[in-house]
Amino acid sequence: MSGGLLVSYIALWVLVVALAIAVLALYNHFGRLYLNTPQGRDEQGPPPLEPLRKRTLGDLQEGAVSLPIKGTPSLLFFSDVDCPLCDSLKPGLARFATERDDVALTVICGGNREAVARWSTELGADVCVVPDPGNRIAAGFNIAMTPFLVSTDAEGVVRHKGLINEVEGFAAAAAAAARTNVLEVITR
Amino acid sequence: MSEVLARGAMAINRRRFLGRALAGTFAVLAGAAAGRTEPAWAISCTAPNGACPSAGCNGYRCRDSSGLTCNYRTGACAENRACWCGGGHCCCDCRCCVLSGSCTSCYCHGAQ
């Protein structure tokens, strides 16, 4: 292969690689745009009124947490160490965990184990905290933004899911999780 | 199609180093093509009329100021929540109105 041909051959391959990267970046870009639209935000999280997919996660104490938690209404709070809005909800979350021992509370927090441990110190021992490096667990639940809350009833069925901006959202989600569908009870 | 986009975005996001490299590459290419640059995190906020005036924001929170009333625009999505965070930055949907009564939907963004 002559010198000129070799140079153009290499240049074309470089261009192909650059274009492939640009196409993937564009794909990511439009995906992110969609995720942040009202429709995209609304569609995040596990499907409502369906059993939460079974998962076994490791908490900060290196114990196993099996989801969904059955036998009691439960809340899954998705957070991140880099989420300022989540930080503002921490005091309310700690208070809710103390006052509502009838609701199982699990926090899934994006970040490495050490950062999550520092972030969760003020939550207290009533709250189970699961570190989520790289937000992989959240992505597995179809969640790409925080703070996000999922509530399940005593049978592990998703009763509420969505972004949460105020402390009152915890009580509302817990009420949804405790609500029993009368028709479901009759037809069982 | 939307589900494909959403799943694709989250799958790529798991590979953090690749995601950042791709976003950075696209930002450079897009900026060069458009003739302007924009912070990468700004694209995670959505509102019909772009960013709110700075006087209407306190970081990512909507704020009232002299001559400008900015409230959270919670009716934009079914779950009725106006704020969310990602990548260390947060966005809030706001509705800002001036004294004349003219209002616009915009977003506030920031790390605090």
Side-chain angles (χ1 to χ4, degrees), chain A residues 64-113:
Chain A
V65 179
S66 294
L67 296 177
I69 297 172
K70 296 206 175 173
T72 182
S74 69
L75 299 187
L76 293 179
F77 178 62
F78 290 84
S79 175
D80 194 288
V81 295
D82 291 329
C83 169
L85 192 50
C86 308
D87 291 344
S88 68
L89 292 173
K90 261 197 295 187
L93 181 64
R95 204 163 44 245
F96 177 85
T98 304
E99 293 170 358
R100 295 293 302 272
D101 55 3
D102 58 321
V103 178
L105 180 58
T106 305
V107 175
I108 297 174
C109 184
N112 62 50
R113 182 174 289 274

Side-chain angles (χ1 to χ4, degrees), chain B residues 23-49:
Chain B
T25 302
F26 177 73
V28 170
L29 293 174
R36 58 185 172 86
T37 57
E38 194 172 12
W41 54 259
I43 63 173
S44 68
C45 301
T46 57
N49 297 303

Side-chain angles (χ1 to χ4, degrees), chain A residues 52-59 63-72 74 76 104 106 108 128 130 141 152 156:
Chain A
L52 188 72
R53 201 178 70 177
K54 291 181 183 176
R55 299 283 301 269
T56 301
L57 309 173
D59 63 12
V65 179
S66 294
L67 296 177
I69 297 172
K70 296 206 175 173
T72 182
S74 69
L76 293 179
T106 305
I108 297 174
C128 174
V130 175
F141 283 105
T152 59

Side-chain angles (χ1 to χ4, degrees), chain B residues 6-100:
Chain B
R7 292 203 179 278
M10 280 190 270
I12 291 174
N13 192 39
R14 292 177 198 163
R15 297 164 179 80
R16 189 175 290 234
F17 77 95
L18 180 61
R20 285 176 180 170
L22 294 177
T25 302
F26 177 73
V28 170
L29 293 174
R36 58 185 172 86
T37 57
E38 194 172 12
W41 54 259
I43 63 173
S44 68
C45 301
T46 57
N49 297 303
C52 296
S54 57
C57 298
N58 179 13
Y60 61 86
R61 298 187 185 278
C62 314
R63 176 182 70 174
D64 291 343
S65 64
S66 173
L68 191 66
T69 303
C70 287
N71 296 311
Y72 293 103
R73 189 169 69 103
T74 56
C77 66
E79 289 298 322
N80 252 7
R81 297 294 176 263
C83 302
W84 69 97
C85 301
H89 289 271
C90 299
C91 302
C92 288
D93 289 337
C94 305
R95 183 169 174 78
C96 293
C97 302
V98 295
L99 287 175
S100 64

